Amino acid sequence: SVFIVREPQPREYIPEDAASIAVTESDKWVEVRAADGSGPVIQFGDRIIVQSRTASEMDGIVKTVGLPIASWHAPNLVVLQAPDAKSALTEASRLAAMQEVVVAHPVIRGRLRRTGPLASWPNDPYFYRQWHLENRDTNGIRQGVDLNVRAAWPFSKGAGVTVAIGDDGVDLGHPELAARTAAGPHYNFYLRIASGGPSYSGASHGTANAGLVAASLGNMAGGSGVAPLANLSSLVIFYSDYGVVDSQGMADMFQYRLDVIGVHSHSWSTYYDAQIPPYLNSPSVVEQNAQSNAFSLGRGGRGLVMVQSAGNYRAYDADANDDGYVSDPRKIAVGAVRADGRAASYSTPGACVLVAAPSGELDNSWPSIFTTDRRGSAGYNASSQTIGGPDYVQDSTLYTGTSASTPQIAGLAALLVSANTNLTYRDVQQIFVLSSRIWDRADNTLQTNGAGLEVSHRVGFGVPDAALAVNMARIWPNRPPLATFRFTNSVTLTIPEENGSVEVNGSNLPPALASLRCLPAARGPRADKPTASLPLVDIGLATNRPSLNLTGKAALIQRGSNTFSEKIQFAAAAGAAFAIVFNNIDATALLHMDTPDTSPIPAVFIGQNDGEGLRAFLLTNSSATARLLSGAAAVAFDVPASVLCEHVGVRLQTTAPRRGQLRFTLESPAGTVSVLQHASSDNSAGPSDWTYYSVQHFYENSQGTWWLRLGDDYAGDAGQLTRAELIIMGVPITDANHNSLDDFWELSQIGTLNSSASDDTDGDGYSNLIEFILNTPPNAPVTQFQVDYANFNLGTVRLGWPGLNNRTYQILGSENPALPFSVITNVMGRFPETEWHFGKTNGRFFYRVRVVQ
Ligand SMILES: [Ca+2]
Ligand SMILES: [Ca+2]
Ligand SMILES: [Ca+2]
Ligand SMILES: [Ca+2]
């Protein structure tokens, strides 16, 4: 049955459960839903709010109904008491039909709070395909990496921020983009006209990127962008598949309309493997000038936020540091991860890569990104047979790469600067540093730096969590101004060739075995700084995983029968810290083992005579130890300044004739190693004058000795270093105990100088480093324990609460809060928010969340 009440507009309600309308006298509430289906389920009580047209009419109304007055609010406004909720609804409906009654409805109460910090399930029909935004199954169970945007949207959707797509133009009239592109500005720097549409028939890239930034949310079409309320600006710089505007046009683009544009998304990198300034893979002087203008004048002096792809050339041994557009320390260099969080096979690594975002692979072996495509037969997808039809694309053979990960980070940047307009471009970088997460524990470039932060050359600090990032942005205090310190070393030295040796120790060791010539494996981890001296164990050919536990040991392996890569993997699987492989022919000949860059541990190759000699020695002496020495030339920089590092640069001038043979690394006083330059196919000379940048030392204290190591993996074409400069960028800090926390802050806030940056003194999940940067108390939890109730989707409810890793939470339930609660399940904690999902059921149920340990 339908009941019509007046609120004062007439509105029809239907009881949720037909049976529950047959209430007993004790039932004071009845659940109803609007007959048109709008709004949530609400509860009507056993009292009726009545408002009459005039005060004089109230008396007659009350007498007609015959119910006592529960409370009197005004001469024409009373609350009447009915015997039960059912009668109240019936009487309210009768009153609402009376001419002299303006308002008549039962008192209302909501049920449980329906909106936790999770935006409602979007009505966009393909949101469920956007695993990169929210990677859950229909029951809310996490399936892999995502940006966690729905937990950020209640706080920011990017409103008020204009994100420029520097690309081949955008289908401005696409229904998902039209509202976002309406304000502009748009400009084609090739044609020199105010036009942002696709610049040629094959121009599909910009439209796909634009949709990832700001496709409309809640328009019952397609999916959503990361920042669905951001505005889009199309800055056209490509006019054919490989044609880009000239350097003057690029300069104009970088500094275009800084009064409006706040974020740049650049899904391009240069595709030359050499270091060729200017313009081919590093900005010309006019572009440098324009970029500097953007970072100093953009966003009212806070600086444009510029996001750029790391590139798609990992398979060619490329490095993002060889692209001066990407490695600029004021930009955000973005890598790509596939759905399980592992770096994509194409994502160009580099010490300058700050973060990563989800993308597809080169085939459809992993799910790819769902985004907008040029309408109809134009664009990547002409087919109406695909998911979403021809106006969308989700096929990694059509659209993938760091091109797809970059606009998602630009969208996140828009969420941040919308949530807090005071953020500088450096603040945005640092929020990403502190809110990102490493997903792939097997990343062999992963290290924990001196500030306790996990960082990798493939994915930087990992994939940002949008909710954590936005919540940090809301309370983020601006970082102090940037200071830059330069240290020059003008020493001239020859870069050692075929560097590296194995140092062996043991009693009665033949002198000829004490130091063995070796060659490093072609790819994979390297002993850039000396390894520990570890017991050496002969594991034969290593055609299978040894049953020995090699933890804390080194493996000696003979060439033959299976691949080098397999041998090294088997040794690593048994726990070996590094592998020494010896030749089975040719006495003293050496080679570079052709290993993939995913090889798990450092490995070197030694000659047959040396290997057989070692094997014979190990048969009679079990106490031999070995360590790997790189043999690179080392240049020391003694840095007296105590600076909390941000980006660290190394400018190098050499006379080396073949850059692709060289390997340069930088070790900080804390022991963190940045690989600046590694072997590649570049046969050109250099670096003649190049500056490499690293984010690996973020928040480390700069004070102490930095080691620049220079080596040449291949014989021939020796070169010389002629000048080296270390560039420390950051904020000076008083930090005598070198733990990245200001000593005065530590003493006043924690009371001791004994904690570390990664400690969490108050156990709220936020490290002392984060608390120092955020200026929150490290000895009082930032968050209060509070359970949020939200609809995950139509059928599933989500309970969420501030959670910690390595902690267990117990869910308890009861039909009656006065009766004992029973345990439903245990949930493993996850920082910053832990969740539990359950299917919606009828009726009432009460839940508790308890910390078990
Ligand atoms: Ca949409
Ligand atoms: Ca299309
Ligand atoms: Ca300190
Ligand atoms: Ca804390």
Side-chain angles (χ1 to χ4, degrees):
S1 53
V2 175
F3 297 87
I4 304 171
V5 300
R6 281 188 168 275
E7 303 176 329
Q9 295 304 316
R11 198 158 187 220
E12 299 180 358
Y13 283 97
I14 302 172
E16 271 288 272
D17 178 358
S20 78
I21 194 69
V23 292
T24 64
E25 271 184 273
S26 63
D27 278 16
K28 295 185 183 308
W29 299 96
V30 60
E31 292 185 338
V32 298
R33 187 191 286 275
D36 64 3
S38 66
V41 171
I42 58 172
Q43 291 184 326
F44 278 159
D46 61 353
R47 285 144 289 144
I48 308 162
I49 296 166
V50 184
Q51 185 176 36
S52 57
R53 285 182 305 196
T54 64
S56 59
E57 287 167 334
M58 184 56 87
D59 204 33
I61 293 168
V62 172
K63 280 184 178 138
T64 305
V65 180
L67 295 175
I69 294 174
S71 59
W72 181 92
H73 296 263
N76 69 332
L77 182 59
V78 299
V79 174
L80 303 178
Q81 178 71 58
D84 54 53
K86 179 196 173 188
S87 322
L89 184 51
T90 307
E91 290 302 321
S93 183
R94 188 157 74 92
L95 281 163
M98 292 168 65
Q99 212 174 23
E100 58 271 39
V101 171
V102 178
V103 171
H105 62 80
V107 295
I108 301 170
R109 71 177 184 187
R111 277 211 309 198
L112 279 169
R113 190 152 65 98
R114 288 245 151 198
T115 50
L118 191 71
S120 56
W121 181 262
N123 67 18
D124 308 69
Y126 296 104
F127 180 75
Y128 81 100
R129 303 281 309 188
Q130 296 188 293
W131 60 271
H132 40 106
L133 303 184
E134 183 175 273
N135 198 357
R136 313 294 184 90
D137 68 12
T138 54
N139 297 318
I141 306 304
R142 196 179 297 279
Q143 302 297 298
V145 67
D146 66 23
L147 298 177
N148 194 28
V149 292
R150 199 146 62 103
W153 284 344
F155 307 106
S156 177
K157 293 194 180 81
V161 180
T162 298
V163 180
I165 309 295
D167 214 297
D168 59 11
V170 174
D171 184 354
L172 302 174
H174 194 296
E176 292 274 45
L177 305 175
R180 314 287 15 120
T181 59
H186 310 296
Y187 200 82
N188 183 316
F189 292 88
Y190 178 66
L191 299 176
R192 297 274 165 192
I193 54 172
S195 166
S199 58
Y200 64 102
S201 61
S204 311
H205 203 239
T207 301
N209 295 338
L212 289 171
V213 173
S216 291
L217 170 68
N219 63 341
M220 300 178 79
S224 178
V226 171
L229 290 184
N231 287 324
L232 290 166
S233 157
S234 173
L235 304 182
V236 180
I237 50 174
F238 294 92
Y239 57 87
S240 69
D241 279 344
Y242 293 101
V244 190
V245 295
D246 61 32
S247 50
Q248 183 193 1
M250 290 288 272
D252 292 343
M253 178 274 293
F254 283 128
Q255 60 185 354
Y256 187 67
R257 292 300 301 274
L258 295 175
D259 57 328
V260 178
I261 295 168
V263 178
H264 270 207
S265 182
H266 291 300
S267 286
W268 51 270
S269 63
T270 58
Y271 53 89
Y272 298 89
D273 61 358
Q275 297 169 342
I276 312 170
Y279 191 54
L280 288 182
N281 53 6
S282 124
S284 58
V285 173
V286 285
E287 291 166 278
Q288 289 175 34
N289 183 65
Q291 290 188 158
S292 293
N293 284 342
F295 293 119
S296 60
L297 305 175
R299 295 183 53 249
R302 296 173 188 87
L304 192 90
V305 179
M306 208 180 289
V307 181
Q308 184 147 6
S309 299
N312 301 329
Y313 306 103
R314 176 177 170 189
Y316 304 95
D317 297 320
D319 193 299
N321 246 318
D322 295 335
D323 187 328
Y325 288 98
V326 174
S327 65
D328 189 305
R330 299 163 298 184
K331 295 188 186 179
I332 295 169
V334 181
V337 296
R338 61 190 200 194
D340 65 349
R342 176 161 291 185
S345 63
Y346 51 79
S347 184
T348 306
C352 58
V353 174
L354 192 78
V355 287
S359 188
E361 262 295 351
L362 297 178
D363 55 25
N364 285 319
S365 56
W366 290 88
S368 49
I369 301 299
F370 180 93
T371 184
T372 47
D373 188 40
R374 286 177 67 183
R375 283 169 290 172
S377 58
Y380 294 116
N381 182 20
S383 170
S384 56
Q385 306 304 311
T386 54
I387 295 288
D391 298 353
Y392 297 92
V393 59
Q394 183 168 41
D395 181 335
S396 64
T397 64
L398 300 175
Y399 174 69
T400 187
T402 51
S403 284
S405 59
T406 298
Q408 298 179 70
I409 295 296
L412 285 184
L415 297 185
L416 301 185
V417 296
S418 174
N420 180 353
T421 55
N422 277 325
L423 299 177
T424 67
Y425 76 86
R426 284 171 51 234
D427 294 329
V428 172
Q429 290 177 332
Q430 294 179 44
I431 290 170
F432 284 145
V433 166
L434 295 176
S435 65
S436 295
R437 181 181 276 121
I438 299 285
W439 290 76
D440 179 17
R441 311 307 312 172
D443 180 342
N444 60 12
T445 70
L446 185 60
Q447 58 186 336
T448 300
N449 77 8
L453 298 174
E454 288 189 322
V455 61
S456 137
H457 283 64
R458 300 214 174 94
V459 299
F461 293 89
V463 179
D465 179 299
L468 184 56
V470 166
N471 280 310
M472 282 186 183
R474 293 164 76 210
I475 59 168
W476 184 272
N478 289 121
R479 295 295 297 146
L482 185 71
T484 301
F485 300 82
R486 295 170 187 275
F487 306 90
T488 302
N489 194 325
S490 299
V491 62
T492 296
L493 60 81
T494 299
I495 300 169
E497 298 198 274
E498 282 203 345
N499 60 88
S501 61
V502 179
E503 183 190 279
V504 185
N505 280 289
S507 53
N508 305 316
L509 185 77
L513 295 177
S515 178
L516 310 177
R517 189 173 155 247
C518 71
L519 286 181
R523 292 173 201 82
R526 289 279 289 270
D528 291 306
K529 55 182 182 183
T531 66
S533 195
L534 300 176
L536 186 60
V537 180
D538 180 2
I539 61 168
L541 286 164
T543 51
N544 290 294
R545 178 181 165 169
S547 54
L548 301 158
N549 180 358
L550 297 178
T551 303
K553 295 176 176 157
L556 179 67
I557 306 172
Q558 186 177 23
R559 182 185 183 188
S561 293
N562 57 343
T563 64
F564 293 126
S565 178
E566 279 174 0
K567 293 174 190 291
I568 295 164
Q569 282 184 47
F570 285 136
F578 58 86
I580 299 167
V581 182
F582 65 93
N583 209 344
N584 57 357
I585 51 170
D586 294 343
T588 59
L590 298 186
L591 56 79
H592 290 88
M593 294 183 285
D594 186 21
T595 46
D597 67 1
T598 50
S599 193
I601 51 173
V604 297
F605 191 82
I606 61 175
Q608 181 186 19
N609 292 351
D610 288 345
E612 288 175 354
L614 263 186
R615 166 174 276 181
F617 177 73
L618 286 173
L619 280 173
T620 58
N621 188 323
S622 59
S623 67
T625 62
R627 67 169 175 162
L628 305 183
L629 302 174
S630 86
V635 177
F637 293 90
D638 290 312
V639 174
S642 174
V643 176
L644 203 59
C645 292
E646 295 176 19
H647 290 73
V648 173
V650 177
R651 182 179 172 189
L652 295 176
Q653 294 169 2
T654 77
T655 61
R658 283 185 70 173
R659 192 184 68 89
Q661 299 188 345
L662 305 175
R663 182 178 182 87
F664 301 155
T665 62
L666 178 70
E667 182 185 350
S668 67
T672 308
V673 174
S674 291
V675 179
L676 306 174
Q677 151 85 47
H678 57 84
S680 72
S681 57
D682 182 12
N683 287 329
S684 56
S688 54
D689 186 356
W690 195 260
T691 305
Y692 301 84
Y693 287 98
S694 174
V695 300
Q696 310 289 309
H697 311 284
F698 233 102
Y699 294 130
E700 290 187 345
N701 185 321
S702 66
Q703 196 171 54
T705 302
W706 294 70
W707 291 100
L708 171 67
R709 295 193 176 91
L710 307 115
D712 180 340
D713 286 354
Y714 295 83
D717 298 315
Q720 283 199 320
L721 172 75
T722 53
R723 186 176 180 279
E725 181 179 76
L726 176 68
I727 305 164
I728 305 280
M729 307 171 75
V731 175
I733 181 173
T734 303
D735 180 27
N737 61 351
H738 286 211
N739 64 353
S740 301
L741 307 174
D742 181 279
D743 294 348
F744 299 113
W745 181 86
E746 282 180 85
L747 279 173
S748 65
Q749 297 288 320
I750 303 177
T752 75
L753 289 170
N754 299 327
S755 76
S756 76
S758 54
D759 281 351
D760 177 13
T761 301
D762 54 13
D764 61 0
Y766 295 87
S767 67
N768 288 347
L769 175 69
I770 293 178
E771 306 245 30
F772 168 56
I773 301 291
L774 286 177
N775 199 21
T776 53
N779 51 7
V782 172
T783 49
Q784 292 191 321
F785 195 83
Q786 171 188 328
V787 178
D788 285 298
Y789 175 101
N791 289 321
F792 175 73
N793 56 24
L794 289 177
T796 306
V797 170
R798 166 192 182 266
L799 296 183
W801 60 91
L804 298 179
N805 296 332
N806 307 318
R807 197 159 279 192
T808 304
Y809 299 85
Q810 202 165 60
I811 310 287
L812 304 101
S814 172
E815 289 184 354
N816 183 340
L819 298 175
F821 281 64
S822 52
V823 176
I824 298 174
T825 187
N826 285 333
V827 178
M828 279 306 297
R830 185 176 192 275
F831 177 77
E833 194 167 35
T834 304
E835 307 167 345
W836 181 63
H837 296 80
F838 57 96
K840 280 185 192 170
T841 53
N842 290 325
R844 255 178 224 105
F845 205 77
F846 297 86
Y847 294 97
R848 276 184 190 155
V849 179
R850 189 163 76 186
V851 182
V852 180
Q853 61 169 69

